[in-house]
Amino acid sequence: MRIAVMGAGGVGGFFGAKLALAGHEVTFVARGRHLQAIRDAGLVIESGVSPMHVKPARATDDVGTMDAVDVVMFCVKLWDVESAAAQLKPLIARGGVAIPFQNGLAAPDILMRVLGAQHVLGGVAYIAATIREPGVITHTGTMARLRVGAFRGGSYEKAVEFAEAARAAGIEIEVSADIRRALWEKFCFLSALSGCTCLARAPIGVIRDDRDLRATK
């Protein structure tokens, strides 16, 4: 499968690395020092359960140089969705699909407006991972799974194809019959969690270790 990872941060970097090491043609779209480090030394995933090193790694900051792909794992920050979405049209021109894996609810609808519903699936990522330094992703904990699914007008078959490829690469993944609900479930969970951390002005570890703060969850 030909896959573009648009935004090679914690989510895209980790799952994209698994797919690349399984033999899929994965191109990481990154920028700046992160891009240069991936080009020079490959993409390193630090993880207690799934350490990886993709070297050499395909990487670019110019999607205009890429051929069409089967799947775009769309992992940019929400404020970049609108501008990045327009760049995807040539990548999915041959029947490909984009799967946004951001938190929140807005990205799929933006992509469907720009690309058409038939080219967009829904995705939910459950993982704690971040860029520790250029070219290095750190995965903390053991959680690392995905959910994908089709919206009205989207292709359930494409969701199944991606899930099968991901599962063969060692990724825990589920095809959801109601991906909109799955997005809302994560959104509600994170909203409550974020409310606690904002109110306490403390990270989640502090909240979990304090009996009174833990009760607020």
Side-chain angles (χ1 to χ4, degrees), residues 5-9 28-39 59-62 75-81 83-84 87 131 134-135:
V5 177
M6 192 83 164
F28 297 95
V29 181
R31 56 192 176 189
R33 293 193 301 145
H34 190 47
L35 170 64
Q36 193 59 53
I38 295 172
R39 283 174 167 169
T60 185
D61 60 357
D62 183 2
C75 306
V76 304
K77 297 299 184 183
L78 183 59
W79 52 81
D80 287 328
V81 170
S83 59
Q87 301 178 46
I131 300 174

Side-chain angles (χ1 to χ4, degrees), residues 142-154:
T142 60
M143 181 174 60
R145 63 187 180 94
L146 299 174
R147 296 175 82 179
V148 296
F151 298 107
R152 185 185 299 273

Side-chain angles (χ1 to χ4, degrees), residues 57-125:
R58 297 171 181 263
T60 185
D61 60 357
D62 183 2
V63 297
T65 64
M66 296 174 57
D67 294 328
V69 299
D70 302 302
V71 173
V72 177
M73 295 186 68
F74 194 72
C75 306
V76 304
K77 297 299 184 183
L78 183 59
W79 52 81
D80 287 328
V81 170
E82 188 83 37
S83 59
Q87 301 178 46
L88 301 186
K89 289 185 178 182
L91 292 186
I92 59 172
R94 300 177 188 170
V97 293
I99 312 176
F101 284 103
Q102 296 99 326
N103 293 329
L105 304 168
D109 293 320
I110 295 173
L111 288 177
M112 282 189 276
R113 173 168 52 79
V114 176
L115 304 173
Q118 71 275 22
H119 290 295
V120 180
L121 300 178
V124 186

Side-chain angles (χ1 to χ4, degrees), residues 14-16 18-19 144-146 163 165-173:
F14 180 91
F15 293 110
K18 276 192 168 287
L19 288 160
R145 63 187 180 94
L146 299 174
R167 199 171 291 119
I171 296 171
E172 182 182 349
I173 188 168

Side-chain angles (χ1 to χ4, degrees), residues 159-183:
V160 171
E161 287 176 11
F162 176 74
E164 288 175 347
R167 199 171 291 119
I171 296 171
E172 182 182 349
I173 188 168
E174 170 195 349
V175 179
S176 174
D178 189 347
I179 194 63
R180 184 75 70 179
R181 175 172 178 165
L183 286 163

